[in-house]
Amino acid sequence: MVTTQSDGRDVDHRPAGAVDRRAWGIVLFLFLFFTLNFADKAAVGLSSQQIRHDLGLTAGQYGLLSSAFFWLFAIGAVTLAAVLRKISYTWGAALLMVTWIASMAPLTVPTSFGVLIACRIALGFFEGPAHALCQSIVADRFSPDKRATAGAIVNAGSSIGPLIAAPTLTWVILTWSWHAAFAVLVVAGAMWLIGWLWFSERLPFRKAGPGTGDSAEDAADPNGDIVVPFHRLLMLRSFWGLVLLSFAGYLISSLKVAWLPAYMNEGLGYSASTVGSLVTIPYVVAVVVLLSAGMLSGRLLRGGHSSRVARGYLTGAYLLFGGVSMMIFSQLDPGPLQLVFVICAFAVNSVAFSVAFAGASDFLPAHQRVAFFGCIIAAYSVAGIVAPYALGLIVERATTAAAGYSTGFLFVGGVVCVLGVLGAIMLDPEKARTQLEQMTARYAAREAE
């Protein structure tokens, strides 16, 4: 179980590999946390027609709006991750939810394009560290062989969120307006906040700084013997492998959230109500893919395979499949076969944020996880800035919307394939841990001189 020392530090006293019921309860709440995280991302994509009509936006302006969410995402991921290191996870997650609610509240009433952009920028800033926080909490409570599965359950919220949001918010939008959709999200966020504060451990607000290797917290950390300056972690080959894998995954994620509904409507000719149903299919499949990938990763580790295979190669294989599928569907005519490849392309993205991130936890000291994950998130968030806006410009300047989507998705699919292969080759958690142990020995020797 997790207890709190007199200095306010969260300390896990369970033996290695033991998992209590509260840990799985925390996973459930983090899953719901991620569900809301991605539901609010999907809200703008599902409201694209009404927003563009109400505000008179071109495809390029809508693409700019979609990318606005990510303008400060990287800054939030790094700066807020540093702040959250000093706050107990109970209050850290609660504070993030409060800021999300505050960022969406102005959109529950008629507003201007400027206010809409400002709210999306603010929401992106406060959602920046969410993934890093969730993965760090999971890593603290689960052994390596269970970590990928627990992380996959949490990350399944990235698919369940839009899956629930698509039919529900589409109905709300068509029945009332896109403002009502944000009102629903505000109410859901408030309900999560109440439940979280009731269920999670009663921890003090402030947490002590990182340990030095002698504390109870470090003793419970399998990588607590690693003591290196943080900047050395960012020079690891595995760090950049994670950046490439997650960047590829987020290229798919950002386009799925921002443009998939519009693509099905404008590019493939489906009605708005039909899109509300069809767009859920990739999210349903993504849940199955994500959970099965997490279990497969754990099984590979238990079967004696290296973490490079179980984390890096496995993630790269999924992304390569997704990129090839995207290239194929971009060249096919609308129909059942094309829809199959659309589903395949948009169902693999979250593997990069669960299986690959679990690999990072295999070599990272606990007190450096949140900041390390924050740096990766800052890097891959650039995909969220560039991809939606670039695709919007391509569609706007193409002879037809269908031709623009075809060109854009063909290019993105190729990029995903290249990044997936390179990232898989570079991510090697076991080698990274060996390098960090050697660095630790060298630094200790210098201090002893």
Side-chain angles (χ1 to χ4, degrees):
M1 63 180 296
V2 177
T3 59
T4 305
Q5 296 187 160
S6 58
D7 61 6
R9 183 178 299 156
D10 307 343
V11 181
D12 193 340
H13 296 291
R14 293 189 314 273
V19 181
D20 60 22
R21 292 182 179 179
R22 182 172 290 275
W24 286 110
I26 293 296
V27 165
L28 175 60
F29 268 95
L30 294 179
F31 160 77
L32 295 173
F33 186 73
F34 241 50
T35 298
L36 290 170
N37 181 291
F38 273 77
D40 64 46
K41 288 186 180 74
V44 166
L46 295 169
S47 307
S48 59
Q49 278 191 311
Q50 280 200 10
I51 291 175
R52 289 173 63 179
H53 178 268
D54 290 354
L55 302 179
L57 306 181
T58 65
Q61 288 175 315
Y62 172 73
L64 184 67
L65 170 63
S66 297
S67 71
F69 177 90
F70 301 97
W71 291 357
L72 295 183
F73 193 89
I75 297 175
V78 175
T79 59
L80 293 183
V83 172
L84 291 175
R85 289 177 61 190
K86 303 180 183 299
I87 300 174
S88 67
Y89 82 87
T90 298
W91 290 102
L95 285 176
L96 287 185
M97 182 57 72
V98 169
T99 58
W100 297 0
I101 293 171
S103 300
M104 290 187 289
L107 305 183
T108 60
V109 296
T111 188
S112 66
F113 181 58
V115 172
L116 179 55
I117 285 230
C119 288
R120 297 304 287 178
I121 293 173
L123 183 61
F125 176 77
F126 290 113
E127 288 197 359
H131 188 223
L133 177 65
C134 289
Q135 289 300 319
S136 182
I137 294 172
V138 167
D140 284 342
R141 282 158 179 76
F142 293 87
S143 59
D145 63 318
K146 295 184 176 68
R147 196 172 288 154
T149 300
I153 293 173
V154 173
N155 279 299
S158 64
S159 296
I160 295 295
L163 173 62
I164 296 174
T168 305
L169 295 185
T170 297
W171 177 78
V172 171
I173 291 165
L174 294 177
T175 303
W176 289 285
S177 71
W178 61 275
H179 303 290
F182 283 98
V184 169
L185 292 172
V186 167
V187 172
M191 292 174 63
W192 181 92
L193 181 62
I194 294 171
W196 173 255
L197 292 176
W198 169 76
F199 181 83
S200 58
E201 283 101 351
R202 305 296 188 265
L203 299 176
F205 179 80
R206 188 169 178 81
K207 181 173 66 175
T212 60
D214 300 322
S215 68
E217 181 182 35
D218 292 318
D221 178 13
N223 298 319
D225 59 321
I226 295 174
V227 183
V228 300
F230 181 75
H231 73 275
R232 299 294 297 181
L233 299 177
L234 306 185
M235 298 172 67
L236 292 171
R237 179 185 173 103
S238 287
F239 168 77
W240 293 103
L242 282 164
V243 167
L244 295 181
L245 290 172
S246 56
F247 193 95
Y250 219 70
L251 282 174
I252 301 173
S253 295
S254 60
L255 293 181
K256 179 163 68 171
V257 170
W259 281 108
L260 183 57
Y263 169 59
M264 288 185 164
N265 179 246
E266 296 178 348
L268 304 183
Y270 295 107
S271 67
S273 58
T274 302
V275 168
S277 299
L278 287 180
V279 79
T280 64
I281 301 176
Y283 292 105
V284 172
V285 177
V287 174
V288 177
V289 169
L290 184 57
L291 294 178
S292 63
M295 289 186 288
L296 178 58
S297 179
R299 177 168 295 189
L300 288 172
L301 284 178
R302 291 190 296 272
H305 292 276
S306 68
S307 57
R308 186 178 195 179
V309 172
R311 310 303 199 195
Y313 289 174
L314 182 62
T315 302
Y318 276 96
L319 290 173
L320 180 61
F321 175 73
V324 170
S325 297
M326 186 174 290
M327 296 173 70
I328 292 174
F329 86 63
S330 69
Q331 303 304 302
L332 294 177
D333 294 327
L337 180 61
Q338 189 209 40
L339 189 58
V340 169
F341 283 104
V342 169
I343 293 168
C344 291
F346 287 106
V348 303
N349 52 301
S350 294
V351 175
F353 313 122
S354 57
V355 174
F357 269 60
S361 298
D362 293 344
F363 62 84
L364 287 174
H367 68 270
Q368 291 179 315
R369 284 192 197 117
V370 174
F372 184 88
F373 290 153
C375 290
I376 295 175
I377 292 168
Y380 78 57
S381 69
V382 176
I385 299 174
V386 175
Y389 184 45
L391 185 60
L393 292 179
I394 292 172
V395 172
E396 184 177 318
R397 296 174 182 178
T399 53
T400 64
Y405 285 118
S406 178
T407 301
F409 284 125
L410 177 64
F411 177 74
V412 172
V415 172
V416 168
C417 289
V418 173
L419 296 181
V421 171
L422 291 177
I425 294 172
M426 295 175 71
L427 176 59
D428 189 346
E430 290 169 339
K431 183 178 180 180
R433 196 183 196 290
T434 299
Q435 291 175 319
L436 292 175
E437 288 174 338
Q438 292 171 348
M439 290 181 200
T440 299
R442 288 198 297 269
Y443 281 113
R446 290 176 188 175
E447 293 178 359
E449 292 177 353

